Amino acid sequence: MPYKRVTLTHFLLQEQRRLGRSGTFTALMQDIITACKMISHEVNRGALAGNLGVAGSENVQGEEQKKLDVLANDIFLHMNALGGTYAAMASEELEDVHLVTGGAEGKYLLLFDPLDGSSNIDVNISVGSIFSILRLPEGASPNSKDVFLQPGVEQVAAGYACYGSSTMIVLTTGNGVNGFTLDRDIGMFILTHPNMSIPAEANEFAINASRARFWEPPVQRYIDECQAGKDGPRGRNFNMRWVASMVAEVHRILCRGGVFLYPTDSEMKKRGGKLRLMYEANPMAFIVEQAGGAASTGRQRIMEVQPTDLHQRIGVVLGSKDEVERIVRYHAE
Ligand code: P6P
């Protein structure tokens, strides 16, 4: 019965009542939801709207920006400034903090990667938006990067939108993980994946195998054992996936288990890693842990890392608990 469906907005209101939360929290998500709908529309129009290709600029990471990177960033900044619930925002695409003018009453901070995996845009592979919400500490001024430098355990909520064969939002507010699919006919996200849970055991690993020559020994050992299959120490066969879109990898793991590794390695050690802590690793770690998985740098729980810079990079090993714990054990040996 279509009319028994629960929309994301209704779900948030139910959560708000169940948890005795203030209305601000529900308002927080409304602007993000609208931004994700708009980005979904632009991503899905692709070449028809002239949205493919490069913007002719670089972001703070020194990466070439796609037109949709810039558009998605503008949409997130504009739509999330309207509600007055955020005091400031931080984006993968911006060097500095973006103060919300008139956001004086805003009690929250929004961090986001507006379009993750954008190298896949021009070849029509799934991409996504990742977001993380922190509280503005009491009496703190929102116009300094320092106010954002809170460990992942301080996150109020985190989620992602996956612009794939369907558009989904997956969200945690610290009480489990729920997935919602965009019904374009009514323009609403509908609860389709309640209480998402990652199987502890995995048979799929995701890693960029072209970097094997740089891997540290514990990573090399783990991958070798997976590749040895049922005749090797793991006694079973594994499969490999690599989409080069973290949102797509994490979504697959939430749906059917697995482990994702983008570890720091000998070549990128000085940079700290590939993925960004504040708006990629931390929100995804929150989601994965809330779904019963684990998320580590290989040596430390990601959400306990004390950030030192807004755009700092970090090694990431996340997914099925048993696999992550094994990899952490190999690092400790
Ligand atoms: P590589 C996308 O640029 C991203 O940040 C993640 O979404 C993805 O997992 C990774 O980088 C892909 O990296 O080295 O395979 O291009």
Side-chain angles (χ1 to χ4, degrees), residues 6-63:
V6 174
T7 68
L8 175 44
T9 301
H10 287 135
F11 176 85
L12 290 167
L13 288 168
Q14 286 169 353
E15 282 284 279
Q16 177 185 303
R17 282 195 295 272
R18 185 167 72 85
L19 302 167
R21 284 235 170 99
S22 75
T24 311
F25 185 71
T26 303
L28 280 180
M29 282 305 304
Q30 295 317 311
D31 295 339
I32 291 175
I33 292 167
T34 305
C36 292
K37 286 183 202 173
M38 291 176 165
I39 294 169
S40 173
H41 173 72
E42 295 300 338
V43 165
N44 283 186
R45 283 176 55 73
L48 297 174
N51 284 340
L52 300 187
V54 295
S57 50
E58 273 192 0
N59 65 12
V60 61
Q61 325 285 343
E63 295 161 342

Side-chain angles (χ1 to χ4, degrees), residues 63 92 113 115-120 126-128 130 207-211 242-250 260-262 268 274-276 280 284 313:
E63 295 161 342
E92 183 201 35
D113 179 355
L115 203 63
D116 182 67
S118 55
S119 60
N120 288 319
S126 298
V127 292
I130 309 172
I207 194 165
N208 180 340
S210 71
R211 302 191 63 85
W242 190 250
V243 186
S245 179
M246 187 185 196
V247 169
E249 316 272 13
V250 170
F260 168 90
L261 303 91
Y262 215 122
M268 68 166 80
K274 160 89 180 195
L275 301 177
R276 275 64 60 151
E280 287 176 330
M284 290 311 205
R313 296 170 186 263

